[in-house]
Amino acid sequence: GNSVTQMEGPVTLSEEAFLTINCTYTATGYPSLFWYVQYPGEGLQLLLKATKADDKGSNKGFEATYRKETTSFHLEKGSVQVSDSAVYFCALTETSYDKVIFGPGTSLSVIP
Amino acid sequence: NAGVTQTPKFRILKIGQSMTLQCAQDMNHNYMYWYRQDPGMGLKLIYYSVGAGITDKGEVPNGYNVSRSTTEDFPLRLELAAPSQTSVYFCASSYSRTVDTGELFFGEGSRLTVL
């Protein structure tokens, strides 16, 4: 079945460092891909999305490109801030039925 | 602008007790979902609903029940609570099929402990 794999955390970075969180997926058909973010004590919220191959999603300085050839959707940010400390979830939509499949999440801590 | 509201935020249950987690949304969304989040496991779909009067099972429905009598409300019922149901529960909604837009709106979560 469809699934999402993410790099294991936790990830700890210094402020202004470059961030990459790897995400790969297995899917039939052509899913849409998403990154959700969960700040401490809150629910998840959509960070960015891409709906077809080679699309780039971006928001709040974060970017991810839908790579069909490598089945990947890696999240990047050029300079992280303490306020980016959160858990990041990669996700995809099932094309055969109406559901969102989430990866296990990657915890990010940014230290001053 | 309330969005998705869940109650209670925290609850401790004894084994065998029952309870209902409440979820309400004020965005007139047809689609609503219940997920559970376990450490290192991501989110697993318990039940979902595509409109009032229609519900369906997700990946992990055993031990739970839902109803959808109105567009706004989607309560999750736990019967005969077990320690394996200790988790954080999230309710979510969307205004269209997620295969079309993918955007889910989440509540703040309900942390349940079964002892």
Side-chain angles (χ1 to χ4, degrees):
Chain A
N2 294 5
S3 64
V4 177
T5 302
Q6 291 179 235
M7 64 185 289
E8 291 196 18
V11 174
T12 302
L13 294 174
S14 298
E15 210 166 18
E16 299 184 1
F18 185 87
L19 168 72
T20 299
I21 299 178
N22 290 338
C23 170
T24 57
Y25 67 90
T26 302
T28 55
Y30 301 96
S32 294
L33 302 175
F34 311 90
W35 279 100
Y36 278 80
V37 58
Q38 183 182 28
Y39 297 105
E42 299 183 9
L44 283 72
Q45 56 186 275
L46 182 65
L47 180 60
L48 54 84
K49 69 178 182 182
T51 58
K52 61 183 187 295
D54 299 325
D55 267 2
K56 177 185 286 188
S58 61
N59 186 26
K60 299 181 180 180
F62 291 90
E63 292 184 339
T65 301
Y66 189 150
R67 301 287 187 198
K68 188 171 183 298
E69 63 277 12
T70 55
T71 62
S72 64
F73 192 55
H74 305 321
L75 182 68
E76 296 182 337
K77 187 175 186 184
S79 176
V80 293
Q81 305 301 313
V82 172
S83 57
D84 293 326
S85 298
V87 181
Y88 293 82
F89 293 89
C90 187
L92 61 80
T93 51
E94 291 272 355
T95 53
S96 57
Y97 56 105
D98 189 30
K99 300 200 180 48
V100 178
I101 305 296
F102 288 89
T106 300
S107 176
L108 170 67
S109 293
V110 181
I111 54 178
Chain B
N1 196 9
V4 179
T5 303
Q6 290 183 235
T7 56
K9 286 186 167 46
F10 302 95
R11 182 74 186 267
I12 297 175
L13 282 181
K14 294 182 179 178
I15 294 172
Q17 287 185 320
S18 300
M19 75 159 297
T20 299
L21 298 176
Q22 302 290 344
C23 175
Q25 52 91 10
D26 63 357
M27 297 173 282
N28 201 32
H29 287 175
N30 283 324
Y31 298 78
M32 296 189 74
Y33 309 81
W34 274 106
Y35 286 89
R36 59 177 287 172
Q37 182 183 31
D38 300 308
M41 300 295 291
L43 278 75
K44 300 295 184 185
L45 182 65
I46 305 171
Y47 270 95
Y48 67 104
S49 169
V50 301
I54 306 170
T55 63
D56 207 348
K57 296 178 180 179
E59 302 168 83
V60 290
N62 291 345
Y64 307 94
N65 278 299
V66 293
S67 59
R68 185 94 182 272
S69 57
T70 66
T71 298
E72 294 77 20
D73 300 299
F74 190 42
L76 176 72
R77 177 87 177 157
L78 281 73
E79 304 282 2
L80 298 175
S84 61
Q85 294 178 303
T86 294
S87 188
V88 180
Y89 292 84
F90 286 99
C91 180
S93 71
S94 63
Y95 61 87
S96 68
R97 295 187 333 139
T98 51
V99 293
D100 295 328
T101 68
E103 184 164 11
L104 295 170
F105 294 82
F106 282 84
E108 293 185 348
S110 298
R111 183 176 294 276
L112 175 67
T113 301
V114 182
L115 300 174

